[in-house]
Amino acid sequence: MHKLHFIASDTIDKVWNRPAAMWDYQQPHQLQECCIDQPERAVTVEIIPAYTAEHLFVFVRSNQQTVSGRDRGYQNGDGLHFVLARPCQDGAASTEFYVVGISPFDKGRQRKFIWYKNIDLTFIPLEGTDVRHSTESAWQYFAVRTPWHELTPYHPWLDRLIGFNLSYVQAVPDGRNTYMLRRDERIQSEQSPRLYATFSPIYPRNAHILKGVSRLSSKHATQGALLTLELVLNSPRTQTLEFSFTVDESAPVTFSAQLQPGINRLHQPIATAGLAPGEHSVRVGGQWKGNEHFFIYRTDELAEISRAVNSLTHQLPPDEISKESVTFLKFKVKELRDKFGALKPQDNFGDLAREMAATWSLLRTVQAGSNHFVPGARIRAAICSRQDNSLQPYSIYIPKGTATPRQLLIYLHGSGEDDRSLFNSTQMLKLAEDLHVILVAPFARGTSHAYVPWEALEDIAEVTQKVQQLFAISPRNTKLSGFSMGGYGVLRAYEHNPTLFSGLALISGHPSLAEAWGMEGPDYTNQEALAMFKDVPIIIFHGTEDRNCPFPLIERLHSQLTQINPHVQLHVAKEAGHIGLDDKWRFHLQRWAESID
């Protein structure tokens, strides 16, 4: 078992301002070589994880001469990602964890963010996290400082054991070299548990002032349930102190505690009897002050929503929009049920409560004769799949100020994303307004699969046909686009059903992704796989420094296509990595779409 060291208050500034100094205080852990594209450029990588009461610190050093600022450095170098996990008793891979991505030279949102929370992607920016880089004595140093409140519920004083893993990615000309504390082939994979090394925190001694952290046994409960407030206090000496806690505006409950020097653990029951459903607070007073929140919820509310939605089937007229409104609400209920099932004690309930309130509001809207297809709204709807009757989501955006749009652009998302990534693309949304085109993003069901399975292709066709029917849009006014994995999906989906689309747009797409991922699917860099693409207009966008979907593959695809199809455009961004639409590309995409209407 490894030790997670505590950084003394008189040392914090020294090691943060000069990360190399950390090696004077603690022994490092050396990472093992995992995936090495260029062995002759392999380096030694060492890490030192440590902490204070307020922050997690991660120090990394590599004895490489130079570093680069590649796009998505946390994946492509020079950058890192680390895992903070709740260990399992048997040491098995954990399903409760964070994966934090750090791209030290990136200026955007990928510089510091939560990549995964548990097995789900989140891409939550870490606003309070700091990242530093320095060079000293032929070593490259990286330091990360993250407030514990951005990594709730983890804290070394509250958790006697913490799981930790780190992958450092070194940029090399012919790819990337990766190094890990514990080798985990699934460290970057969605819907997968994570491996880790177990760390036992070393607790501080000789505290100068009283410091503490607190946590509720759960952030949500049913009415009348009993919660526990856990206080961990680091005391500088033996002393008896008075504390109190207040639930909302009730009278304070006082208690005293005999503290010993060092770490002290206190547990206080919190009664919730008589509290109404909704948000509540616990304020801790006395010698140490803190504030916690919890939510009281009704156990029967979800069942009430479900019954009300099911009754709509007999209340609404049998037109297609009404049918889709019922399917939409059934999907909202499914989402709520799934989120309830995945809820963990440390999760905030407020977002789920707001979603339930929004579902009630949507239900009343539909009961009043309206529907959810509102121009300007970011809508996640669903189809009832004709393959297996499952509810499969899709995202849709209808441009503002257009009574009856007659253009449709299907957008296939990349790996590690879902259909809602459409709403993160301001360029796509602007394109919708400028072209008066409806945007629709089908969901690639399951984990990232390169749109290889027949079910995934049928989902795309079914969503496309459904929206074409609802808005009276013809296939000749329907274009198909995709980013990254979705670029490969564009070629797959057109081959599967070419009658649905009049033009294809690939944005940083991969033409032979199935082969690259070891799946059975076409390699579209081969001439024989492209025969059916000889007539359809195609536009391709790609960066020369794309490490996720290498540019030479796109050059080959373009060369093969132009031999059989005179309607192919290629727009290249020099020195660009794995990027989506920018202003320039959006302009060309708009001009292209207008030219083939």
mmCIF file of all heavy atoms in Angstrom, residues 279 295 348-355:
data_model
loop_
_atom_site.group_PDB
_atom_site.id
_atom_site.type_symbol
_atom_site.label_atom_id
_atom_site.label_comp_id
_atom_site.label_asym_id
_atom_site.label_seq_id
_atom_site.Cartn_x
_atom_site.Cartn_y
_atom_site.Cartn_z
ATOM 1 N N GLU A 279 -34.889 21.299 -0.561
ATOM 2 C CA GLU A 279 -33.501 21.515 -0.146
ATOM 3 C C GLU A 279 -33.454 21.982 1.301
ATOM 4 O O GLU A 279 -34.268 22.805 1.735
ATOM 5 C CB GLU A 279 -32.869 22.585 -1.045
ATOM 6 C CG GLU A 279 -31.391 22.768 -0.833
ATOM 7 C CD GLU A 279 -30.562 22.007 -1.858
ATOM 8 O OE1 GLU A 279 -31.018 21.841 -2.999
ATOM 9 O OE2 GLU A 279 -29.471 21.580 -1.485
ATOM 10 N N PHE A 295 -31.218 16.971 0.510
ATOM 11 C CA PHE A 295 -32.513 17.114 -0.152
ATOM 12 C C PHE A 295 -33.444 16.010 0.340
ATOM 13 O O PHE A 295 -33.072 14.830 0.361
ATOM 14 C CB PHE A 295 -32.347 17.010 -1.670
ATOM 15 C CG PHE A 295 -33.497 17.575 -2.458
ATOM 16 C CD1 PHE A 295 -33.412 18.851 -3.011
ATOM 17 C CD2 PHE A 295 -34.664 16.846 -2.640
ATOM 18 C CE1 PHE A 295 -34.474 19.378 -3.735
ATOM 19 C CE2 PHE A 295 -35.727 17.365 -3.354
ATOM 20 C CZ PHE A 295 -35.630 18.631 -3.912
ATOM 21 N N ASN A 348 -25.643 15.173 -5.493
ATOM 22 C CA ASN A 348 -26.659 16.181 -5.226
ATOM 23 C C ASN A 348 -27.976 15.785 -5.879
ATOM 24 O O ASN A 348 -27.999 15.304 -7.013
ATOM 25 C CB ASN A 348 -26.211 17.548 -5.753
ATOM 26 C CG ASN A 348 -25.072 18.129 -4.946
ATOM 27 O OD1 ASN A 348 -25.082 18.048 -3.719
ATOM 28 N ND2 ASN A 348 -24.089 18.709 -5.618
ATOM 29 N N PHE A 349 -29.064 16.003 -5.162
ATOM 30 C CA PHE A 349 -30.374 15.639 -5.677
ATOM 31 C C PHE A 349 -31.042 16.811 -6.396
ATOM 32 O O PHE A 349 -32.021 16.630 -7.118
ATOM 33 C CB PHE A 349 -31.275 15.178 -4.520
ATOM 34 C CG PHE A 349 -32.515 14.455 -4.965
ATOM 35 C CD1 PHE A 349 -32.491 13.090 -5.189
ATOM 36 C CD2 PHE A 349 -33.699 15.135 -5.176
ATOM 37 C CE1 PHE A 349 -33.625 12.416 -5.604
ATOM 38 C CE2 PHE A 349 -34.844 14.472 -5.590
ATOM 39 C CZ PHE A 349 -34.808 13.107 -5.809
ATOM 40 N N GLY A 350 -30.502 18.005 -6.226
ATOM 41 C CA GLY A 350 -31.155 19.198 -6.770
ATOM 42 C C GLY A 350 -31.395 19.137 -8.262
ATOM 43 O O GLY A 350 -32.478 19.502 -8.746
ATOM 44 N N ASP A 351 -30.395 18.672 -9.032
ATOM 45 C CA ASP A 351 -30.561 18.603 -10.489
ATOM 46 C C ASP A 351 -31.683 17.648 -10.868
ATOM 47 O O ASP A 351 -32.480 17.920 -11.770
ATOM 48 C CB ASP A 351 -29.256 18.156 -11.150
ATOM 49 C CG ASP A 351 -28.177 19.224 -11.076
ATOM 50 O OD1 ASP A 351 -28.518 20.396 -10.836
ATOM 51 O OD2 ASP A 351 -26.990 18.874 -11.251
ATOM 52 N N LEU A 352 -31.758 16.518 -10.170
ATOM 53 C CA LEU A 352 -32.811 15.548 -10.450
ATOM 54 C C LEU A 352 -34.176 16.124 -10.096
ATOM 55 O O LEU A 352 -35.161 15.924 -10.827
ATOM 56 C CB LEU A 352 -32.540 14.268 -9.661
ATOM 57 C CG LEU A 352 -33.401 13.048 -9.973
ATOM 58 C CD1 LEU A 352 -33.394 12.738 -11.466
ATOM 59 C CD2 LEU A 352 -32.926 11.848 -9.177
ATOM 60 N N ALA A 353 -34.250 16.862 -8.989
ATOM 61 C CA ALA A 353 -35.514 17.492 -8.603
ATOM 62 C C ALA A 353 -35.954 18.516 -9.649
ATOM 63 O O ALA A 353 -37.146 18.605 -9.987
ATOM 64 C CB ALA A 353 -35.357 18.169 -7.241
ATOM 65 N N ARG A 354 -34.996 19.265 -10.172
ATOM 66 C CA ARG A 354 -35.346 20.250 -11.205
ATOM 67 C C ARG A 354 -35.814 19.556 -12.488
ATOM 68 O O ARG A 354 -36.705 20.060 -13.187
ATOM 69 C CB ARG A 354 -34.146 21.166 -11.471
ATOM 70 C CG ARG A 354 -33.945 22.221 -10.380
ATOM 71 C CD ARG A 354 -32.829 23.185 -10.722
ATOM 72 N NE ARG A 354 -31.518 22.565 -10.548
ATOM 73 C CZ ARG A 354 -30.861 22.539 -9.389
ATOM 74 N NH1 ARG A 354 -31.402 23.064 -8.310
ATOM 75 N NH2 ARG A 354 -29.664 21.990 -9.304
ATOM 76 N N GLU A 355 -35.207 18.412 -12.805
ATOM 77 C CA GLU A 355 -35.647 17.666 -13.982
ATOM 78 C C GLU A 355 -37.067 17.135 -13.806
ATOM 79 O O GLU A 355 -37.863 17.113 -14.747
ATOM 80 C CB GLU A 355 -34.679 16.517 -14.271
ATOM 81 C CG GLU A 355 -33.366 16.963 -14.888
ATOM 82 C CD GLU A 355 -32.558 15.784 -15.410
ATOM 83 O OE1 GLU A 355 -33.149 14.885 -16.031
ATOM 84 O OE2 GLU A 355 -31.335 15.774 -15.182
#
